[in-house]
Amino acid sequence: PLENDANMPFGEYEIELLGEVDGWNWITSKSTAYIQRVKRSLWDGTGPRVKPRLKSEEVAFRAIRDLEAGNLTNSDNFMRQVRNNMSFHSIPDMIQTQLDLVSN
């Protein structure tokens, strides 16, 4: 779907599982990728067509939960997520090399 597509509602979808591929990754050693296809939207024509925003209380709750769990202070995890996002978005290797220098 295209970003901001008015014909693509937020909500539940009927999804068909086409296949599974088992593989290896360096974080958990085992990984499974699921190949799926959206068959149809289950949107009934009522309710919001966009993803609802979280209430301020929910945002605060999640922030405190993540802080207490150490998720917001784990710089290794943060840098891994940044590097993964950079790879996903095809950020040039030169920038990734600079990122490595900062994190070491």
Side-chain angles (χ1 to χ4, degrees):
L2 299 173
E3 189 173 347
N4 299 323
D5 183 353
N7 297 316
M8 191 66 155
F10 169 78
E12 301 292 323
Y13 295 90
E14 181 180 344
I15 297 175
E16 177 183 14
L17 180 63
L18 300 176
E20 295 180 20
V21 178
D22 289 326
W24 182 88
N25 70 56
W26 64 277
I27 299 173
T28 61
S29 73
K30 184 179 181 216
S31 178
T32 303
Y34 297 96
I35 303 166
Q36 302 173 333
R37 175 176 57 193
V38 175
K39 292 179 74 173
R40 67 185 181 96
S41 171
L42 299 178
W43 187 57
D44 62 2
T46 62
R49 293 181 58 86
V50 296
K51 185 174 182 179
R53 294 182 60 123
L54 294 175
K55 293 181 179 181
S56 299
E57 295 85 4
E58 180 64 20
V59 173
F61 170 78
R62 291 181 181 190
I64 292 169
R65 179 195 61 202
D66 289 344
L67 180 63
E68 290 174 346
N71 296 337
L72 300 180
T73 58
N74 186 336
S75 59
D76 291 337
N77 186 39
F78 174 76
M79 294 304 286
R80 183 181 320 110
Q81 290 174 345
V82 169
R83 186 166 182 76
N84 287 345
N85 284 332
M86 291 173 71
S87 295
F88 180 77
H89 293 290
S90 302
I91 304 296
D93 289 336
M94 178 188 73
I95 296 173
Q96 290 186 16
T97 303
Q98 295 299 317
L99 179 65
D100 290 338
L101 293 173
V102 169
S103 63
N104 290 332

